[in-house]
Amino acid sequence: LETIGFGAFYSCCMDGSLDIPDSVKSIGDYAFAYNSFNRLYIDAAIEKIGDGAFEGCSKLKDIQLTERISEISERCFLNCKNLVNFVLPDNVEYIQKFAFGGTNIEKISDKANPFIEGNKAILISENSKLMFIENDAFETEVWSIETTTNKLSDILLPKKLRLREASYNFTLGKELTKITIMNEEETFLAFKDNMLYANDTQKARLI
């Protein structure tokens, strides 16, 4: 088995632990959406996880992903309401829109710090290759200040992160109070006067 196709196990009342076989290389869109398992383990050869693959898995809270993954796809963990901690593989370069909308994630933090159960964080390392976080990555729908569901309050941005345009919705939420940039002297971003600047030419208002 190398591919798990589109909607293969959509809403199949799966519970307990889900371990993906070592032979699988790709998981299709919505393949495991709306199930009840609480643990997800993906290792081995998987390189692609489809859009909405685990959307609506409201009991999911323990996730381990292979380092081969380079992208957290659109709607991947949308409305996984029990998700409180997520270790981002270092090779992930993109987090797509709605990927973590409707979760309990409140922080992006350094995984080198002591792990505290229930700290409601995406944990990244100083070796993270994360470059882009799409608009609405932490929303359940297209962002507006009236409807935002973004719970981020304290975020740590890796030094490689860039803005492809003057975009701000991945961070703008009613709870945001703090932004820290890893290795600030090497970064492409600057934060000053409630503005996030990219490459000295573009800017996006955060608050």
Side-chain angles (χ1 to χ4, degrees), residues 95-98 108 130-139 143 148 150-153 155-158 161-173 176 179 189 196 204-206:
I95 296 177
Q96 301 288 4
K97 59 184 179 181
F98 312 123
I108 301 176
L130 183 62
M131 294 180 65
F132 297 114
I133 301 177
E134 290 287 352
N135 281 352
D136 307 316
F138 293 88
E139 301 286 350
W143 177 90
T148 180
N150 187 336
K151 298 178 181 178
L152 290 176
S153 61
I155 62 175
L156 176 68
L157 301 179
L161 192 79
R162 304 187 187 194
L163 298 180
R164 284 182 287 189
E165 55 187 42
S167 302
Y168 55 84
N169 298 350
F170 81 89
T171 53
L172 178 53
L176 183 64
I179 294 176
L189 303 178
L196 189 65
R205 180 168 292 280
L206 291 176

Side-chain angles (χ1 to χ4, degrees), residues 93-117:
E93 297 180 356
Y94 300 90
I95 296 177
Q96 301 288 4
K97 59 184 179 181
F98 312 123
F100 292 102
T103 68
N104 281 317
I105 299 297
E106 296 179 357
K107 301 178 182 179
I108 301 176
S109 303
D110 188 346
K111 73 177 182 181
N113 291 335
F115 185 85
I116 301 173
E117 185 67 25

Side-chain angles (χ1 to χ4, degrees), residues 30-78:
Y30 305 99
F32 294 98
Y34 296 95
N35 279 287
S36 298
F37 46 81
N38 57 25
R39 179 181 180 273
L40 171 65
Y41 184 72
I42 299 178
D43 200 354
I46 288 184
E47 297 178 355
K48 178 174 176 55
I49 299 176
D51 293 348
F54 305 101
E55 178 178 337
C57 294
S58 59
K59 295 184 179 180
L60 183 59
K61 60 182 180 180
D62 183 9
I63 300 173
Q64 296 181 54
L65 293 185
T66 173
E67 285 292 339
R68 289 175 179 264
I69 298 295
S70 62
E71 173 182 297
I72 305 298
S73 60
E74 184 175 331
R75 306 175 71 95
C76 191
F77 299 108
L78 178 66

Side-chain angles (χ1 to χ4, degrees), residues 17 35 74 79 84 92 121 130 141 144 153 162 183-184 201:
S17 177
N35 279 287
E74 184 175 331
N79 289 326
V84 293
V92 169
L130 183 62
E141 59 183 88
S144 76
S153 61
R162 304 187 187 194
N183 297 33
E184 187 169 1
T201 60

Side-chain angles (χ1 to χ4, degrees), residues 156-200:
L156 176 68
L157 301 179
K159 63 183 180 181
K160 290 189 176 183
L161 192 79
R162 304 187 187 194
L163 298 180
R164 284 182 287 189
E165 55 187 42
S167 302
Y168 55 84
N169 298 350
F170 81 89
T171 53
L172 178 53
K174 295 178 180 179
E175 309 300 323
L176 183 64
T177 58
K178 181 180 179 182
I179 294 176
T180 305
I181 300 174
M182 273 188 173
N183 297 33
E184 187 169 1
E185 68 279 1
E186 300 177 26
T187 191
F188 294 95
L189 303 178
F191 182 60
K192 182 179 180 182
D193 299 329
N194 289 331
M195 303 291 285
L196 189 65
Y197 292 83
N199 300 325
D200 297 325

